[in-house]
Amino acid sequence: MTPAPFGARLREAMDARGPLCVGIDPHASLLSAWGLADDVGGLETFTRTVVEALAGTVAVFKPQSAFFERFGSRGVAVLERAVADLREAGALVVMDAKRGDIGSTMAAYAETFLRKDSPLFSDALTVSPYLGYGSLKPAVDLARENGAGLFVLALTSNPEGAEVQRAVREDGRTVGATVLAHLAEENAGETPMGSFGAVVGATLGDLSSFDLDVNGPLLAPGIGAQGATPADLPGVFGAAVRNVVPNVSRGVLRQGPDTAALRDAAQRYADEVRAAVGG
């Protein structure tokens, strides 16, 4: 049986547990800060601690695939276990892999993360549209089939992104605005919101020149260590703020390995976000 669409499940999870996504980014500096070795053993301890501390209370998790892949197959095995444990605990998993390609290669990437019997099956996947939005069709189709979703890079917080995303097309519309328009089409008529969202940096300031109301979720990195705060969200996202999924990584993770401190940090951010967006 196909599960309920990702957009509906995400809305329910955020309403129940608070509108927060915690990134799982076990990079070398965090492993060191936790007193762990930069090896598979350290990776496994770090990941297991985060999952055990937060999986039962946080709505959404965003593992960064690269930090697991760098350890080869053993690192990917740690990621597979984390995905399974998070989803079993009732959390949603957004795999941050930023895949983007064409044809059969894009289809293979989609099958890796969006096919129900895959060991890395996730509730949603981050993807790059910069081979043309149409190149994402295999991922869009498989996500729909399996009740999953996508977060498409639209207006990212890295300074280099602007040279592509703010470039103006012949029709006068920016590339980023074009991506947002495609997502609005994907989500048309869906309630309580669609399953195809955009990645929009929380550090970008006033985005009123863009139509962020895509009737889908807006994954917003940048809260915490990157400088944005929950109080900034209404000013950045305007009327679309209700559908924002704010992502915090280091702001929570640097509180480890103390599990109580991890829980307290996640709860504090969730409360601050809820207060800021009125949810």
Side-chain angles (χ1 to χ4, degrees):
M1 178 182 296
T2 301
F6 171 68
R9 293 187 292 118
L10 177 61
R11 178 79 275 152
E12 181 179 5
M14 291 169 62
D15 288 347
R17 294 188 175 194
L20 183 69
C21 171
V22 172
I24 304 181
D25 298 355
H27 48 73
S29 63
L30 265 176
L31 295 178
S32 176
W34 279 35
L36 300 170
D38 187 21
D39 58 19
V40 173
L43 174 75
E44 186 169 15
T45 298
F46 179 95
T47 306
R48 185 174 64 248
T49 300
V50 173
V51 172
E52 291 178 353
L54 302 178
T57 56
V58 171
V60 187
F61 290 86
K62 184 174 71 66
Q64 171 47 259
S65 181
F67 292 122
F68 296 86
E69 293 177 39
R70 70 192 184 101
F71 294 107
S73 61
R74 294 175 65 197
V76 174
V78 173
L79 180 59
E80 290 176 359
R81 174 67 182 273
V83 170
D85 289 348
L86 289 166
R87 299 189 75 242
E88 185 176 356
L92 301 182
V93 175
V94 176
M95 184 62 68
D96 194 357
K98 298 183 178 71
R99 296 302 197 249
D101 215 306
I102 60 172
S104 59
T105 308
M106 189 66 232
Y109 281 138
E111 290 170 4
T112 301
F113 300 105
L114 301 172
R115 194 186 72 232
K116 282 190 293 187
D117 60 353
S118 169
L120 285 169
F121 176 71
S122 303
D123 297 282
L125 172 68
T126 61
V127 292
S128 173
Y130 296 110
L131 288 173
Y133 183 86
S135 67
L136 300 179
K137 189 175 187 302
V140 171
D141 291 346
L142 196 58
R144 287 193 189 281
E145 180 182 333
N146 291 318
L150 299 177
F151 284 101
V152 183
L153 302 179
L155 296 167
T156 58
S157 55
N158 62 306
E160 305 88 347
E163 70 182 49
V164 174
Q165 296 154 17
R166 309 245 181 173
V168 178
R169 293 160 31 106
E170 290 182 356
D171 62 5
R173 188 164 59 178
T174 65
V175 173
T178 301
V179 172
L180 293 169
H182 281 299
L183 292 171
E185 292 176 7
E186 300 285 4
N187 295 323
E190 296 292 334
T191 58
M193 65 177 170
S195 299
F196 299 94
V199 179
V200 179
T203 57
L204 294 178
D206 183 4
L207 292 175
S208 58
S209 61
F210 292 91
D211 185 359
L212 299 178
D213 185 10
V214 300
N215 189 34
L218 301 170
L219 182 63
I223 303 290
Q226 293 182 50
T229 70
D232 295 326
L233 295 172
V236 177
F237 293 95
V241 73
R242 172 77 172 139
N243 288 343
V244 169
V245 186
N247 177 77
V248 179
S249 297
R250 282 171 289 174
V252 171
L253 299 178
R254 66 188 177 195
Q255 303 303 318
D258 185 299
T259 56
L262 286 167
R263 292 190 190 104
D264 288 347
Q267 188 61 56
R268 183 173 65 254
Y269 274 111
D271 290 345
E272 291 177 3
V273 170
R274 197 192 298 270
V277 305

